[in-house]
Amino acid sequence: MFGLAKISVAAAVLLASTAAAGPSPGSHWVQQRSTPAAGAGAAAHAGALRAGALKPVEAVLQAPRGGMVKPPPGLYANAVDLGARKAAASPVDIVLLGILSGFHIGFGGLLAVTVGGSIPAIKSANPGLQKLLFGLFGLPFGLFMVLVAGGELFTGNTALVTAALVEGKATVANLVKNWTCSWVGNLLGSVLLAKLVVAAGINAAPGTAAAIAVSKVSSPFMPTFLKGIVCNWMVCMAVWVAAGATSLTDKYLAMILPVSAFVAFGAEHSVANMFLLPLGLFSGASKSVSWQDLFVKNILPVTLGNIVGGALCQTMPYAAVYGSLLK
C-alpha cells in the first residue's frame, strides 16, 4: 500500500515537472483541441507552478481540463443557467414543447417495443441480451431528440429547475409552473402518439405492449416509487452531462449509457410510461387495466419517485459541493 502511494506521488511530481518544463521533444505530434480560454487557463496554471504557488500534486489535480464536456463545476453552472431559462418560459411555450417531448419519448418507447419487444426467442434463451437490446434501441433515441431539438421534459426539469431555484435564479412558483406544464404537455403528447400509432397500424408488437401495461400496474406502490427514484437519477445524470457537451457525438455518448441501463434493469420513467401504458390499453390491456389503474398504480408513484431522483439525488449533492446550498 505504501509502495503504491510512493509511486503515485512520484508520478504526480514527474507530471508536474514536465508541465513546468514546457513541451517535450516530439510533442508536436500530439494536437489537442483548445480554446482561448483554455489556453489562458493553462498559461496561468503553468505560471503558478513555476512561481511555487502550487505544490506538485496540487498542480496535477488542478491542471486545466480539455475535451468536449465541461468539468463538474461547469456542468453544475450550465444546469443552473438552463434551469433558469426553463423557469422563465411562458406556460404556453412549456406545454407546447412538453407535447413535442412527449412525442419524442414516445417514439423512443415505440422503437423499444418494436425491436426489444419483438424477439421472444432471444428473450427465452438469453433474457439479459433481450433487456440490453430493449434498453439500447428506443428511449436513448427519444431523449437524444429532446436534448438536440429542444423540449420540455418533466423528468429532466426536476433536476435543472431545482438547481436554478437553489441558486436564486428561479422561484418556487416558477418551479411549480414548469413542472406542472411540462408534465401536462408530456402526457398530452404521449397519449396522442399512442392513439396515432394504433390507428396507423404500426404497433408491431401489440401483445408485448399490452403485457407491459399489465405488468407495470401490478407492482405495489413503494417498489414502483423507488424504481422511479433510481430511474430519474440516471436520466437526470444523462441530461446533466449531455447538456454540457458541445458535439452531437459527446451528447449521445453521455446520454446513451445511463438511459439504456435504467431501461435494461427495469426502472420506471413517468413520461415513457405515459406512452407505454396507453399504448398497452389501446392494444388490448383495457380488458384488465383501467385508466384509473394507469394513473394511481403507476404514473403517480413513478412521478413522485422521479421528483426525488431528479431534485434530491441528482441536484442537491452538486449544489452542496459546487453551488451555494451549504455556503
Side-chain angles (χ1 to χ4, degrees):
M1 180 66 71
F2 290 108
L4 289 175
K6 291 180 180 178
I7 292 173
S8 300
V9 172
V13 172
L14 178 60
L15 288 172
S17 301
T18 302
S24 60
S27 62
H28 60 280
W29 293 106
V30 181
Q31 296 183 356
Q32 296 180 340
R33 295 177 181 266
S34 63
T35 63
H45 176 267
L49 179 62
R50 286 193 294 269
L54 292 177
K55 297 179 181 179
V57 174
E58 292 174 338
V60 175
L61 295 177
Q62 298 181 24
R65 296 175 55 171
M68 303 300 288
V69 179
K70 297 177 185 292
L75 290 177
Y76 178 74
N78 184 70
V80 171
D81 291 340
L82 185 56
R85 293 197 296 272
K86 289 178 173 293
S90 71
V92 173
D93 287 347
I94 297 172
V95 170
L96 290 176
L97 289 173
I99 291 173
L100 286 177
S101 295
F103 273 103
H104 292 154
I105 297 299
F107 285 135
L110 178 61
L111 180 59
V113 172
T114 302
V115 178
S118 301
I119 46 176
I122 294 179
K123 182 177 181 179
S124 176
N126 193 336
L129 177 59
Q130 187 270 337
K131 290 180 180 179
L132 176 63
L133 294 174
F134 193 88
L136 283 174
F137 293 94
L139 291 184
F141 155 71
L143 183 58
F144 187 64
M145 291 298 99
V146 173
L147 294 175
V148 174
E152 289 288 349
L153 186 64
F154 165 75
T155 46
N157 290 351
T158 61
L160 298 176
V161 183
T162 300
L165 177 67
V166 170
E167 299 305 325
K169 295 189 176 183
T171 65
V172 173
N174 293 147
L175 181 144
V176 172
K177 174 194 67 177
N178 178 273
W179 287 7
T180 302
C181 292
S182 60
W183 191 94
V184 170
N186 293 164
L187 178 64
L188 291 174
S190 299
V191 175
L192 286 172
L193 181 62
K195 194 67 175 178
L196 175 63
V197 165
V198 173
I202 56 175
N203 181 13
T208 298
I212 289 174
V214 172
S215 174
K216 284 183 176 292
V217 300
S218 300
S219 177
F221 186 97
M222 186 54 66
T224 303
F225 168 75
L226 295 176
K227 289 178 183 178
I229 294 176
V230 173
C231 166
N232 207 36
W233 194 348
M234 302 190 73
V235 169
C236 288
M237 178 58 72
V239 171
W240 197 275
V241 178
T246 57
S247 73
L248 289 178
T249 301
D250 291 324
K251 287 180 181 293
Y252 190 76
L253 290 175
M255 174 274 307
I256 189 172
L257 295 177
V259 174
S260 60
F262 97 72
V263 176
F265 55 61
E268 296 279 359
H269 188 266
S270 57
V271 181
N273 290 352
M274 290 175 185
F275 169 78
L276 293 172
L277 292 177
L279 181 66
L281 262 65
F282 299 149
S283 300
S286 58
K287 298 176 182 178
S288 56
V289 177
S290 67
W291 283 96
Q292 180 177 342
D293 293 333
L294 183 152
F295 283 99
V296 175
K297 295 182 178 180
N298 185 273
I299 291 181
L300 173 60
V302 173
T303 296
L304 295 175
N306 287 169
I307 291 173
V308 174
L312 297 183
C313 297
Q314 173 62 28
T315 297
M316 291 306 177
Y318 290 113
V321 175
Y322 302 122
S324 60
L325 182 60
L326 299 180
K327 306 300 188 292

